[in-house]
């Protein structure tokens, strides 16, 4: 399956991460309780063969920027 979870744990962080990615033109759905157990929140991305290398690089840059902004990445 191309569904790729990005584990974050905290529900509010997952919501914020998803919203901020959307501001960067990256769509990643927050998956929170009751869809998953409390403390297991994540965002979900679905890369596909139709994405170019440039598309993937764009997404990775957005993830890095948002992750640093939210303190998820150092």
């Amino acid at each position: 399956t191309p569904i790729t979870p990005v584990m974050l744990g905290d529900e509010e962080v997952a919501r914020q991460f998803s919203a901020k990615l959307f501001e960067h033109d990256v769509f990643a759905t927050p998956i929170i309780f009751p869809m998953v157990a409390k403390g297991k929140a994540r965002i979900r991305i679905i890369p596909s063969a139709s994405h170019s290398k440039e598309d993937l690089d764009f997404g990775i840059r957005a993830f890095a920027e948002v992750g640093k902004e939210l303190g998820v990445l150092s």
Side-chain angles (χ1 to χ4, degrees):
T1 176
I3 296 172
T4 306
V6 178
M7 305 305 290
L8 295 166
D10 184 88
E11 292 183 13
E12 188 55 34
V13 171
R15 283 187 192 102
Q16 290 176 2
F17 210 112
S18 173
K20 290 198 175 287
L21 283 174
F22 192 75
E23 292 171 6
H24 287 84
D25 297 323
V26 174
F27 183 71
T29 310
I31 307 299
I32 57 175
F33 181 83
M35 294 180 280
V36 294
K38 288 192 180 275
K40 301 290 185 180
R42 61 200 72 183
I43 55 175
R44 181 167 59 189
I45 59 171
I46 305 175
S48 77
S50 67
H51 289 106
S52 68
K53 181 177 181 331
E54 292 77 20
D55 293 332
L56 298 175
D57 289 342
F58 177 87
I60 290 168
R61 282 191 304 273
F63 264 84
E65 186 174 325
V66 170
K68 288 176 185 174
E69 181 180 341
L70 294 178
V72 175
L73 297 173
S74 52

